[in-house]
């Protein structure tokens, strides 16, 4: 997957070339790569041309431009009130963690060790004790959970922070999907019983499903990770898994972990229960990151650029005036402004592009590249007929609608675009799912970039063998998750890899 090096940009000097009428020509806006032809180059190009990111002079770090942050904030606007309804409180812990604390949970730090970045100098002086930058915050937070939790009345303790983390290990960074610094929310909770912790794990996972399916219009599978793939130091990990049909790769969309009592042991997080007996807490941690945005772009983007679902697009409707010969431009511009006001008053995020030095065609291409869900064009004919022309970004459909029905019709269209984008993405994802029951079928499906559902004996050594046998230039196959929604497993079904009795159906594939 390309992405570490700065891609060639569209020539902006071409885009700025002016016609004899003083308007900029419709040049220099298109993508040089196609999604099907060269996905690895298409993806970073669509992100830069769509004004979502800019490359930074440190590999694996990216500038998140306003178009990206608008999406991130709209996702927060959904998720933050939901977790506050669950009585989860906001907090912020420092970016730095001491080596002593980091080393406390051995399995945990071994899982993250290659990714930890260290501060070793202050000015010209070497630090006596190097300080780590958080790759995640379990070891940052839990010494203070131990301090704050004394009795059963202190439970549950439920915190969430919106922050950045740093993970340094990899050699092929990909914007949003694998970056050395990324934004996320991380929730950390402590409970008196495992039952409480288990319940919350699934409540949070359902919010992640809703985030992907209802907001990003990306279908996901809810399931449980294998012992090999679970969170280092945790009891079990649940996840929502997405799939990119173009590359045949799965993507771990978000995770909700039950940490059990392992961290409670290491950090002495105990409480006096109602019988005045000492007990250890049960803990969870859960997170989604800016990776969500990369998944959305990979699933929906096309050869014209980004395609944004209306619920997460900071501009849902762009209104463009179409001057023609001797038509009264002022009257057309006035109609555009009135249209924007009507829509904004109804809670629709609408803007007008009234720049005179760009042609309408150039503007169409520009806003298509940025993925705005709906375009409204207003020209002299539209004024005369008291109507506007709408153009959908997802399928290019053009419909003229009367000014009198404007608000109602646009709301309907945006709802339809949102649902249609999900339906199309689900159809494409489902067409990639292949059930395999033998090793030969598995290898064949893998070569065809399929999302493989196979019966498995649930043994760690078998998973390691599958990884070893499928390792190649494009990476090894591994378990993605065992879906909660399990198909029927007839008695006598054998594991596709080992030939032993199968215990469950599991999704397998290559992944990001």
């Amino acid at each position: 997957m390309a992405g570490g090096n700065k891609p060639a940009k569209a020539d902006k000097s071409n885009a700025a070339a002016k016609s004899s009428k003083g308007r900029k020509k419709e040049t220099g806006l298109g993508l040089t790569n196609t999604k099907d032809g060269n996905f690895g180059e298409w993806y970073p190009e669509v992100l830069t041309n769509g004004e979502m990111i800019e490359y930074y002079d440190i590999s694996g770090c990216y500038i998140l431009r306003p178009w990206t942050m608008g999406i991130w904030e709209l996702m927060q606007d959904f998720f933050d009130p939901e977790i506050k309804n669950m009585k989860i409180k906001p907090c912020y812990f420092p970016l730095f963690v001491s080596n002593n604390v980091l080393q406390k949970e051995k399995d945990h730090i071994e899982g993250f060790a290659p990714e930890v970045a260290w501060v070793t100098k202050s000015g010209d002086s070497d630090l006596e004790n190097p300080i780590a930058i958080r790759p995640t915050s379990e070891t940052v937070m839990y010494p203070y959970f131990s301090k704050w939790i004394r009795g059963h009345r202190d439970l549950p303790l439920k915190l969430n922070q919106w922050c950045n983390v740093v993970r340094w290990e990899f050699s092929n960074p990909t914007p949003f999907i694998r970056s050395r610094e990324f934004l996320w929310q991380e929730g950390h909770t402590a409970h008196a019983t495992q039952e409480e912790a288990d319940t919350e794990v699934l409540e949070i996972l359902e919010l992640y499903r809703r985030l992907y399916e209802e907001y990003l219009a990306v279908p996901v599978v809810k399931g449980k990770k294998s012992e090999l793939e679970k969170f280092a130091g945790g009891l079990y990990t649940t996840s929502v898994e997405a799939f990119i049909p173009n590359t045949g790769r799965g993507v771990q969309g978000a995770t909700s972990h039950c940490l059990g009592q392992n961290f409670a042991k290491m950090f002495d997080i105990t409480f006096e229960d109602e019988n005045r007996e000492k007990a250890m807490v049960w803990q969870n941690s859960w997170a989604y990151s800016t990776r969500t945005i990369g998944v959305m772009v990979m699933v929906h983007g096309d050869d014209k650029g980004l395609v944004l679902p209306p619920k997460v697009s900071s501009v849902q409707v762009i209104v463009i005036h179409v001057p023609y010969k001797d038509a009264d431009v002022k009257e057309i511009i006035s109609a555009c402004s009135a249209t924007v006001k009507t829509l904004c008053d109804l809670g629709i995020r609408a803007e007008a592009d009234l720049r005179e030095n760009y042609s309408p065609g150039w503007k169409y291409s520009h806003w298509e590249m940025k993925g705005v869900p709906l375009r409204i064009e207003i020209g002299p004919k539209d004024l005369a007929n008291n109507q506007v022309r709408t153009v959908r970004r997802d399928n290019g459909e053009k419909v003229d609608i009367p000014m009198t029905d404007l608000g109602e019709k646009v709301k309907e269209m945006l709802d339809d675009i949102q649902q249609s984008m999900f339906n199309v993405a689900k159809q494409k994802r489902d067409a990639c799912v292949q059930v395999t029951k033998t090793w030969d079928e598995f290898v064949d499906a893998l070569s065809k970039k399929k999302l493989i559902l196979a019966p498995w004996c649930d043994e760690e050594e078998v998973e390691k063998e599958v990884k070893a046998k499928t390792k190649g230039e494009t990476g090894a196959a591994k378990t993605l998750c065992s879906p909660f929604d399990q198909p029927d497993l007839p008695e006598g079904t054998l594991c596709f890899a080992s030939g032993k009795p199968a215990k469950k159906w599991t999704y397998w594939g290559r992944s990001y």
Side-chain angles (χ1 to χ4, degrees), residues 107-116 135-136 138 167 169 231-232:
D107 288 342
H108 177 69
I109 189 52
E110 277 175 20
F112 281 101
E115 304 178 342
V116 177
T136 179
E138 281 76 10
R167 297 183 184 177
E169 150 267 355
F231 184 70

Side-chain angles (χ1 to χ4, degrees), residues 20-161:
S20 57
K21 291 186 177 178
R23 289 206 200 94
K24 297 181 181 181
K25 290 180 181 176
E26 296 160 43
T27 55
L29 273 177
L31 299 173
T32 57
N33 295 284
T34 62
K35 190 176 186 182
D36 290 338
N38 190 345
F39 188 90
E41 294 298 327
W42 167 86
Y43 176 67
E45 190 183 13
V46 82
L47 291 175
T48 49
N49 287 24
E51 299 179 349
M52 290 194 74
I53 66 159
E54 186 58 74
Y55 278 72
Y56 195 57
D57 65 355
I58 297 172
S59 175
C61 298
Y62 308 95
I63 297 162
L64 304 185
R65 299 183 67 180
W67 205 238
T68 288
M69 292 308 294
I71 296 167
W72 185 241
E73 286 180 351
L74 285 163
M75 291 163 66
Q76 274 186 291
D77 288 347
F78 157 70
F79 190 78
D80 211 44
E82 290 286 344
I83 60 172
K84 283 175 178 167
N85 285 342
M86 293 170 66
K87 307 302 182 207
I88 293 159
K89 306 296 184 188
C91 66
Y92 184 79
F93 280 72
L95 177 68
F96 303 112
V97 54
S98 70
N99 188 34
N100 290 344
V101 171
L102 196 63
Q103 297 293 343
K104 265 204 169 183
E105 211 300 313
K106 294 295 182 204
D107 288 342
H108 177 69
I109 189 52
E110 277 175 20
F112 281 101
E115 304 178 342
V116 177
W118 293 89
V119 180
T120 58
K121 291 177 84 76
S122 170
D124 293 330
S125 307
D126 291 335
L127 293 182
E128 187 178 340
N129 297 305
I131 296 168
I133 299 174
R134 61 177 171 222
T136 179
S137 295
E138 281 76 10
T139 56
V140 178
M141 292 183 169
Y142 297 165
Y144 301 92
F145 276 43
S146 175
K147 184 177 181 180
W148 298 335
I149 295 169
R150 287 285 177 261
H152 63 89
R153 291 184 183 86
D154 298 324
L155 294 171
L157 177 60
K158 303 201 279 188
L159 303 179
N160 177 69
Q161 67 175 1

Side-chain angles (χ1 to χ4, degrees), residues 78-79 185 187 203-213 220 240 254-256 286-288:
F78 157 70
F79 190 78
Q185 61 70 217
E203 284 176 356
I204 292 293
L205 195 69
E206 173 60 11
L207 290 182
Y208 291 152
R209 182 203 65 79
R210 288 182 59 198
L211 188 70
Y212 269 98
E213 297 196 340
V220 291
V240 288
T255 47
S256 184
W286 31 269
Y288 80 85

Side-chain angles (χ1 to χ4, degrees), residues 178-360:
R178 279 201 170 276
S179 56
R180 288 185 169 152
E181 179 192 11
F182 55 87
L183 302 182
W184 74 351
Q185 61 70 217
E186 53 175 324
H188 294 268
T189 61
H191 307 265
T193 66
Q194 182 177 3
E195 185 184 7
E196 273 183 47
D198 289 342
T199 299
E200 185 195 75
V201 165
L202 295 181
E203 284 176 356
I204 292 293
L205 195 69
E206 173 60 11
L207 290 182
Y208 291 152
R209 182 203 65 79
R210 288 182 59 198
L211 188 70
Y212 269 98
E213 297 196 340
E214 296 176 16
Y215 284 76
L216 301 175
V218 171
V220 291
V221 175
K222 290 201 294 187
K224 188 176 179 180
K225 287 286 193 184
S226 69
E227 285 297 298
L228 196 61
E229 292 293 328
K230 74 177 184 181
F231 184 70
L235 180 62
Y236 66 86
T237 290
T238 67
S239 67
V240 288
E241 300 287 330
F243 186 75
I244 311 301
N246 289 75
T247 60
R249 289 181 182 273
V251 187
Q252 180 177 285
T255 47
S256 184
H257 315 287
C258 180
L259 302 178
Q261 295 181 307
N262 197 23
F263 286 88
K265 283 177 196 165
M266 298 302 156
F267 290 93
D268 190 28
I269 311 174
T270 57
F271 68 101
E272 190 178 81
D273 66 17
E274 289 166 337
N275 299 320
R276 297 199 168 182
E277 291 178 2
K278 191 176 178 182
M280 274 189 300
V281 299
W282 292 83
Q283 287 177 270
N284 295 337
S285 68
W286 31 269
Y288 80 85
S289 75
T290 36
R291 169 177 276 207
T292 48
I293 297 173
V295 174
M296 176 197 72
V297 172
M298 286 182 165
V299 168
H300 298 305
D302 63 19
D303 293 346
K304 289 183 177 181
L306 302 167
V307 184
L308 301 183
K311 281 191 178 180
V312 294
S313 183
S314 52
V315 178
Q316 295 173 309
V317 181
I318 189 70
V319 181
I320 295 172
H321 72 299
V322 188
Y324 186 73
K325 292 184 179 176
D326 300 324
D328 186 344
V329 176
K330 283 185 180 176
E331 192 180 355
I332 297 171
I333 287 175
S334 176
C336 289
S337 300
T339 298
V340 169
K341 186 178 187 312
T342 298
L343 296 176
C344 288
D345 287 348
L346 291 167
I348 295 166
R349 296 185 292 277
E351 290 183 10
D353 186 345
L354 304 176
R355 293 175 291 179
E356 295 284 353
N357 59 331
Y358 289 93
S359 70

Side-chain angles (χ1 to χ4, degrees), residues 460-486:
E460 199 169 309
E461 286 308 310
V462 174
E463 183 176 1
K464 286 177 180 175
E465 282 174 24
V466 172
K467 270 188 168 182
K469 285 162 91 173
T470 57
K471 197 167 186 179
E473 284 183 20
T474 52
K478 64 180 185 180
T479 58
L480 303 174
C481 74
S482 297
F484 291 137
D485 188 9
Q486 283 277 316

